[in-house]
Amino acid sequence: PIGNANATGSTYFAGVFAGLGHTVTNLYINESGNSSSSFSGAGLFSQVQGPAVVRDVGLVTPTVIGCPSCSNLLTGALIGGTASIGTGAITIANTYVSGGSVSGKGQIGGLIGATFSGGGAVTIDRSYSTASVSGSYQIGGLIGYMGGGTLTNSYATGAVSATGTVGTSNASVAGGLVGDVESSATISKSFAAGTVSGSNAGALAGF
């Protein structure tokens, strides 16, 4: 993935990625055999830190499989996660995932695994996913976990499934659009239309 970060050094993606309307077809990432504590995320971009812009790019029928036993989660077809470091804003605009599947343990999203805005504001605009998404907890059709930021003019229609054990932290939290949303995050002019299953499931957000 682009922008990997690990225990021995960080190379988060920062800067401008302008896709110019191009697509990436049949992206395949499989971290299922990875048990490293330094694993930092799976996606075309592993992690992104501000200041950064990712825009005008689509993924067609990707298969992204996250690490099932790693302490760090963060799995999305486009971006594993936005890092809570850096000094500038992160903007993700006019991006999409068409078909395919994203799976893993937790913080799994069709487009983005998780957003953290401690280092700067995170904005996701005019983006969508139709991929199927599955995992144990914090599973979302578009974003698995929204720890901050703003989501606008976006949607997800893929099937979402969370299978975590009931009674554990964040067990089976699943949302058609976002799995788990913190109070500091904002969602507007967005919708979800896919089937959602899990013990803590919501059509738009699971929790």
Side-chain angles (χ1 to χ4, degrees):
I2 301 168
N4 193 27
N6 54 54
T8 58
S10 296
T11 54
Y12 299 105
F13 174 80
V16 177
F17 180 91
L20 303 176
H22 291 294
T23 60
V24 178
T25 301
N26 296 330
L27 173 72
Y28 181 78
I29 297 173
N30 187 350
E31 295 285 357
S32 62
N34 190 339
S35 60
S36 171
S37 61
S38 64
F39 171 81
S40 64
L44 179 62
F45 295 86
S46 176
Q47 286 201 52
V48 174
Q49 77 170 60
V53 176
V54 177
R55 59 181 171 86
D56 304 325
V57 64
L59 301 180
V60 178
T61 58
T63 300
V64 179
I65 304 167
C67 178
S69 58
C70 296
S71 56
N72 292 324
L73 308 169
L74 308 177
T75 301
L78 181 66
I79 297 171
T82 62
S84 57
I85 60 173
T87 58
I90 297 172
T91 300
I92 300 147
N94 196 28
T95 62
Y96 67 88
V97 178
S98 178
S101 64
V102 183
S103 62
K105 183 179 179 181
Q107 297 179 346
I108 314 295
L111 187 76
I112 302 170
T115 63
F116 303 95
S117 56
V122 178
T123 301
I124 303 102
D125 183 44
R126 292 171 290 120
S127 296
Y128 72 86
S129 173
T130 65
S132 62
V133 188
S134 61
S136 294
Y137 57 90
Q138 292 179 319
I139 313 301
L142 194 72
I143 302 171
Y145 171 72
M146 247 186 118
T150 300
L151 173 64
T152 59
N153 303 307
S154 299
Y155 68 90
T157 61
V160 178
S161 173
T163 58
T165 303
V166 175
T168 61
S169 176
N170 299 316
S172 293
V173 172
L177 188 69
V178 181
D180 193 347
V181 185
E182 296 290 349
S183 59
S184 58
T186 301
I187 300 173
S188 65
K189 298 180 181 178
S190 300
F191 70 91
T195 60
V196 184
S197 62
S199 61
N200 295 306
L204 191 70
F207 186 78

